[in-house]
Amino acid sequence: MPNRYLSCAWMLLLLASCGRTPETYVKFVNDPANGLTLQRNVGDVWYRAQLLPADYQILLSRSGDAGIGNVERDSLRAMYGSYYYVRFEVGSTQAEDGASELNLHYDATGNFMLVMGGDSLSAAFCQPIAGGRKGAVEYMMAFPKEKPRSENITLVYNNPAWNNPIQQFTFSDKNFDVTLF
């Protein structure tokens, strides 16, 4: 009798874990409680870093359509899985329309580094994107996965043009392999 309850509980756990929809997955990734989105404020300046798993990138590339077969999924995971993807925003609560230095888009590649243990990675690309927030700029970055990850990683942001302190955002190792498929 106890084995029957144990097997039923195991089946319910499996069904619950396989029932993630694209909508619930996006909500999970965007929910700060899950550790993929980190934010901090320094005076009137706020910083937000978000680690985007490979499955999130796959979902974006397919315009939200999660209906793919195993072969295509594995191929896309191989393609997107060779980078760490990070979205980064910096903004000011005091910015006026068009008057803030935060509205300037420039090559910020050198302002970001990903640190893992004793290794540091430079961004393979750092692209400003239209975030749509007044007084803010947003960047999308990809850092190459040069070797297997075995610990937490830290995004380091340093903009010497502004007099703000260096910002560090540490993502826990448990958050890297959040999957949809």
Side-chain angles (χ1 to χ4, degrees):
M1 190 80 139
N3 286 339
R4 175 185 277 175
Y5 291 118
L6 185 58
S7 62
C8 286
W10 180 247
M11 290 300 287
L12 286 174
L13 179 64
L14 283 175
L15 288 173
S17 66
C18 295
R20 191 175 275 167
T21 66
E23 294 80 17
T24 58
Y25 181 71
V26 168
K27 285 180 183 176
F28 179 88
V29 170
N30 290 319
D31 184 351
N34 296 317
L36 294 169
T37 301
L38 306 173
Q39 182 169 332
R40 69 176 39 97
N41 299 320
V42 178
D44 70 332
V45 178
W46 53 267
Y47 304 88
R48 182 177 301 122
Q50 184 177 29
L51 181 67
L52 302 172
D55 280 8
Y56 189 89
Q57 294 301 108
I58 292 170
L59 192 61
L60 288 178
S61 74
R62 299 193 43 85
S63 300
D65 177 20
I68 62 175
N70 290 341
V71 172
E72 183 181 5
R73 181 201 62 221
D74 293 344
S75 174
L76 289 169
R77 274 192 178 148
M79 182 173 75
Y80 288 110
S82 58
Y83 290 92
Y84 297 110
Y85 296 94
V86 178
R87 182 181 349 201
F88 183 82
E89 281 183 278
V90 58
S92 173
T93 57
Q94 302 298 315
E96 298 176 22
D97 279 330
S100 171
E101 64 183 323
L102 297 173
N103 288 327
L104 299 175
H105 288 264
Y106 57 92
D107 181 17
T109 304
N111 295 347
F112 296 97
M113 184 181 349
L114 208 59
V115 178
M116 179 175 52
D119 297 329
S120 60
L121 302 171
S122 296
F125 77 84
C126 177
Q127 179 70 39
I129 57 177
R133 295 180 194 238
K134 177 178 116 175
V137 291
E138 186 174 354
Y139 298 95
M140 182 65 186
M141 295 166 278
F143 297 88
K145 290 182 180 176
E146 296 178 351
K147 60 183 183 179
R149 174 190 37 69
S150 60
E151 54 196 76
N152 300 345
I153 62 171
T154 300
L155 176 70
V156 178
Y157 172 69
N158 180 23
N159 186 343
W162 301 340
N163 292 327
N164 293 324
I166 294 172
Q167 297 299 311
Q168 296 183 12
F169 301 87
T170 300
F171 296 99
S172 172
D173 183 51
K174 68 178 182 166
N175 294 327
F176 287 94
D177 299 318
V178 178
T179 60
L180 168 63
F181 307 103

